[in-house]
Amino acid sequence: MARSPLSVRMLHTSLPHRRPAPGSGPSARDSIASALASASSSSSSSSPIDSVRSMFDSLTSRVRSEADEKRRVFRANSYTPPHALTQSSLYPEPRPFARAPLLGPPRKVATKIDPFHIASTSPLEHDLNPLFPLAFVNPMGKIKSRADTGLTWKSQRKIGKLVRRARGMGLISRWTNQPVPGGLGTGMGRIGGRY
């Protein structure tokens, strides 16, 4: 038994130009009635309303895909340039993730190039020398990152503590990597005016 095609659009069927002509075939109401009858006679486990609902969902609804979610929405009365209608513009590719920031050398490399690790000393031993923490500060006065210094994590933390101590004691400036006036000593009680 051949099934007649079911009309997907059943709105405005009361209009004269939409009303099916007599003798042109089964109407949408007849198609639904035949679908209900066949569903009730064929499947006893599911209700006929469920089968008809699933049939209508498959006919009338369109499954939204990922491409539809990313698709641009066009507004009424707005200008659209021609290049906005290309495939790459309508369905843009997702942007790649940003590259991770450079954190410095891995541990095996850092232990071979870190002078404090090699000499088994601590940067905090040089806390009264104002020129020493200035080597680990950039021109804006910020502590250089591990990617710039190449130290191990342990030495880098101690360098941070050393710079903050020197700032707190007033030996170095917070805003620049230039020596502060009087930070190197002015010769009062020191030989040659230096440490």
Side-chain angles (χ1 to χ4, degrees), residues 11 21 44 63 107 123 128 143 145 154-155 166:
L11 298 175
S44 59
V63 179
R107 185 176 183 274
L128 294 179
I143 301 170
S145 67
K154 184 176 181 181
S155 298

Side-chain angles (χ1 to χ4, degrees), residues 67-178:
D68 290 330
E69 297 294 333
K70 298 174 187 172
R71 193 168 157 178
R72 288 187 52 193
V73 178
F74 295 108
R75 306 285 180 203
N77 302 324
S78 64
Y79 171 73
T80 303
H83 60 79
L85 302 174
T86 60
Q87 178 78 13
S88 59
S89 179
L90 288 173
Y91 300 96
E93 291 292 325
R95 296 184 65 184
F97 290 109
R99 186 176 293 177
L102 184 63
L103 297 177
R107 185 176 183 274
K108 286 185 178 180
V109 177
T111 52
K112 292 179 181 175
I113 62 174
D114 182 3
F116 304 110
H117 181 79
I118 294 170
S120 299
T121 60
S122 172
L124 296 174
E125 297 172 3
H126 307 278
D127 56 351
L128 294 179
N129 182 2
L131 293 177
F132 195 79
L134 283 178
F136 298 99
V137 172
N138 69 5
M140 301 231 6
K142 295 178 76 175
I143 301 170
K144 291 182 180 176
S145 67
R146 209 176 139 252
D148 299 329
T149 60
L151 301 175
T152 58
W153 284 106
K154 184 176 181 181
S155 298
Q156 182 70 25
R157 286 193 301 271
K158 290 185 178 181
I159 284 293
K161 183 179 274 192
L162 171 72
V163 171
R164 288 189 292 273
R165 274 187 190 176
R167 285 175 182 166
M169 289 190 286
L171 298 177
I172 66 172
S173 171
R174 293 179 184 271
W175 318 113
T176 180
N177 62 352
Q178 302 299 318

Side-chain angles (χ1 to χ4, degrees), residues 31-44:
S31 301
I32 293 173
S34 64
L36 276 171
S38 63
S40 63
S41 63
S42 62
S43 63
S44 59

